[in-house]
Amino acid sequence: MNLSEAIVIIGGCDKKGLLKLPFTECYHPKSGQWTTLSSMPGYTKSEFAATTLKNNIYISGGHINSSDVWMFSTQLNSWIKVAPLSKGRWRHKMAILNGEIYAIGGFDGVKRLSTVDRYNSFTNTWSPVTPMLEAVSSAAVVSCMNKLYVIGGAVEDYGNTDKVQCYDPEADAWTYKTPSPFSQRCINAVELDGLVYVVGGLLSTIFCYNPKTDVWSEVACLPGALESCGVTVCGGKMYILGGRDENGEGTENAFVFDPKTGIVAAEPPLQRCTSYHGCVTILHRT
């Protein structure tokens, strides 16, 4: 069986942001082909968190007070319910650090959350770690250089932050880093070659953060402003898929950013207009 990197788009909202989509679809950039995978369970979800561990996909939350966590087995092409979050979260993010899943921040319908839970897949249990310094929702979260970075996000209904919060698992402690050059929510981040790249928040710029130097820079421009887009790394490049434009409408546009050349190129469009979706990379049979 030949395996190659492929991008999975999970759920999300339609063009107007009204309908929740049940689709789980796999895109192979090399061939340009799409494969339909098993539909997402309980697809009345949006703004859930998604990540991959051991080539399986995990999603959590997805509406106010939802603590459900599902694992998509790539071998079985089926969704399996695993241990729930200790607290319902919405507009939070998940990231992998040292082989464990961290569920970070979010919103519980009343307030933003500073709490952080860590999942061990061997024991199928969640346990709390030290909370963030500041509660945020819809932030960008990424692991890089054995640390977690939480960038920006919403601190109140109409207020965002430019703060960068960094978690060191060895010290089980958070510190502030150099603030980002923007104060946005509905942003996403990926790690590529030891650097963090951030897009979204209705910005048309791709920003780069270097954890070694604690310095921010602008690296490329997108054709238009986007938020709540899918972002993942595949084949050593950053893919920016779907999202909402400045008119608040979902888009099917897809772009790929090559950090070696600094060029943003258009990709074939998604199957449909999609925003607030999960977007991850797995190894999938060709």
Side-chain angles (χ1 to χ4, degrees), residues 2-200:
N2 290 322
L3 295 174
S4 65
E5 283 192 324
I7 297 168
V8 180
I9 302 291
I10 310 145
C13 294
D14 70 345
K15 184 171 185 176
K16 296 297 182 183
L18 301 174
L19 291 176
K20 309 295 190 296
L21 304 172
F23 309 107
T24 306
E25 293 166 320
C26 185
Y27 173 62
H28 292 265
K30 284 185 179 177
S31 65
Q33 290 184 321
W34 287 88
T35 306
T36 300
L37 305 178
S38 178
S39 291
M40 185 173 70
Y43 64 84
T44 53
K45 302 171 184 288
S46 72
E47 297 182 81
F48 52 86
T51 192
T52 56
L53 178 65
K54 299 173 191 166
N55 208 43
N56 294 317
I57 302 168
Y58 290 78
I59 62 171
S60 65
H63 46 81
I64 292 172
N65 288 327
S66 171
S67 59
D68 289 351
V69 182
W70 292 85
M71 182 193 81
F72 177 78
S73 167
T74 53
Q75 284 191 316
L76 301 176
N77 185 32
S78 65
W79 291 91
I80 302 162
K81 205 169 195 178
V82 297
L85 298 167
S86 60
K87 179 178 179 60
R89 296 174 191 269
W90 186 42
R91 298 175 175 169
H92 60 299
K93 294 285 171 61
M94 295 194 299
I96 306 298
L97 186 63
N98 297 332
E100 295 181 302
I101 299 174
Y102 287 75
I104 299 166
F107 183 62
D108 67 0
V110 177
K111 64 184 185 299
R112 268 83 201 170
L113 303 174
S114 62
T115 52
V116 180
D117 281 341
R118 180 173 59 203
Y119 177 74
N120 185 307
S121 62
F122 291 106
T123 60
N124 188 32
T125 54
W126 292 89
S127 56
V129 302
T130 299
M132 289 186 286
L133 300 168
E134 183 166 16
V136 290
S137 62
S138 303
V141 175
V142 66
S143 63
C144 186
M145 312 285 283
N146 295 317
K147 291 182 172 65
L148 287 174
Y149 292 88
V150 179
I151 301 160
V155 292
E156 54 189 15
D157 286 354
Y158 300 102
N160 305 325
T161 183
D162 63 356
K163 290 183 176 142
V164 176
Q165 306 182 64
C166 176
Y167 176 72
D168 182 345
E170 288 190 10
D172 187 25
W174 292 84
T175 54
Y176 285 120
K177 297 296 182 181
T178 297
S180 61
F182 50 84
S183 297
Q184 308 299 131
R185 69 182 74 191
C186 300
I187 52 179
N188 287 293
V190 294
E191 181 273 335
L192 190 51
D193 297 329
L195 298 172
V196 173
Y197 295 91
V198 183
V199 296

